[in-house]
Amino acid sequence: MNANHHETSGPSRTQQITLRGPAELADALPFMLGFHPTDSVVLAALHGEHGRFGGRVRLGIPRSPREWATTADHLAECLVEGGSRHGTRPDGIVVFLCQDPAPGETARVVMERLRPFAQRLRTACGALDIPVYEALCISDGLYFSYCCPDARCCPPDGTPLALTGTSVMAATAAYAGVQLRGSLRDMEARLKPSGRPGDEEQQRAALDAAAAAIVPRILEGAEGKGREEVRETTLRLARESMRRFAHRKSPTAPTGPAGSARPAQPAKPVGTTAERDAADDALIGPDEAAALILGLQDRVTRDRAAEWMEGWEGTAALRLWRVLARRCVNPYQEHAAAPLSLAGWTAWSTGDEPTARVALGLALDADPEYVFARLLHQACNEGLDPESLRSCLRSERDTRAAAEQAASASSRRVRTRAARPQGTRQTLGKPGRAGARERGPAAGVRPGGRATGKPVNRAPRHDGQRGTRSGR
């Protein structure tokens, strides 16, 4: 099987509409997923007498036909098991094969080449006692049916798809607020290096230099000290970078109520997606990106960065993680697992599940054993609510802030006591006096020696109040 990881989702919560025939099924597919699934096989579950859509599973089409049999079995099992976990075993399945023609191919050639794969998917679902009601191939703006033998509705040369935005499904999706994010290929391109030789060489040199400077500080410094210094430096640099995204025209952000800088309103992006990504890339230099990428390899640093998940922080953080993922050039591809996982988590936390699945899938491509990405990918695919994880992160952040505040207050008290000379007492002058007279050592106490007389009575004055200097 290829390296792509399957994506599943639970039943849709959008407004219900009725789809009639292969044409409307093909038109509905991007709206079910949130993007156009290029080079993908998609299985959608149907439930009940009227064929209500349920869970979906998507996987990249394996390049080798020898993998088609195992892939078909795996996808069918995943879809059925996912439905069973939600208490609704599918009553039927619709299969979609989406692939654009290679150079020299036509859409019909693609359809015929994938026909054995479609047949294997049908038999795999049939082996689980679930019929395949329809199997469609979508290629180059045309759709073909592997199940309908009627050439009048499904001609051998394919049927054009409906124009974008003209179908009932498109109108309903627009009314429900469903947003299409382009094709899967476009979404993945936003999270991968650009491939421009000059940019990659410059970033590779910066990563080499950052690795030589940061890794020894983590591994060879005093126990925990070097790692902690790198951690704080990374988080401080990441927050500064996020502020640039939030205030592209105004680098200085207003100050929040707690004294920490907090932008009031994020800057609104303008231009095409490619132009916005290029503008974000220009805000982060190669050396800064390298330091952030290396710093995020630390698990604690990554978990702290995951706390930027809401409001302006979530919006700016997602843009920063995209920039860092695009800077993980060869041979640092595995380092992309950290920023890609953070991008997936932030997108999921802010309600963008399609982007989350794509980012987490790419993170697992970069490092299949990356536990953080695996757990998030599974949770997102099973339809869990990210609020439970958000609550844990908020609690950890609040606990750490309270501990840091207590430590800071304790440090201030220690510094105040250390500033007083030993063997002296501070006194307050009585009202009407110009000042307090300096007093020597207490009676019966030799400087630097043990007490020889009665201890000084240190009971509080009757006119003092608890917590005041005169009432200590």
Side-chain angles (χ1 to χ4, degrees), residues 182-203:
S183 69
L184 176 62
R185 186 181 298 109
D186 295 336
M187 296 176 69
E188 291 180 340
R190 301 188 68 187
L191 298 165
K192 293 181 178 180
S194 63
R196 292 187 289 269
D199 295 342
E200 289 203 0
E201 291 176 2
Q202 186 179 19
Q203 189 59 61

Side-chain angles (χ1 to χ4, degrees), residues 347-423:
W348 183 35
S349 179
T350 54
D352 188 354
E353 291 188 8
T355 298
R357 293 193 181 97
V358 171
L360 294 171
L362 291 176
L364 291 174
D365 287 344
D367 185 356
E369 303 302 323
Y370 201 68
V371 177
F372 186 57
R374 292 175 63 182
L375 294 175
L376 289 174
H377 195 257
Q378 180 179 357
C380 182
N381 285 336
E382 291 183 355
L384 301 182
D385 189 351
E387 177 56 29
S388 58
L389 182 53
R390 284 198 298 259
S391 298
C392 292
L393 290 174
R394 293 191 202 103
S395 178
E396 292 181 2
R397 179 180 58 196
D398 294 342
T399 301
R400 186 179 63 254
E404 291 174 353
Q405 185 176 4
S408 177
S410 176
S411 176
R412 286 196 298 269
R413 287 196 297 268
V414 170
R415 287 197 300 269
T416 301
R417 291 170 183 161
R420 299 177 183 174
Q422 295 184 356

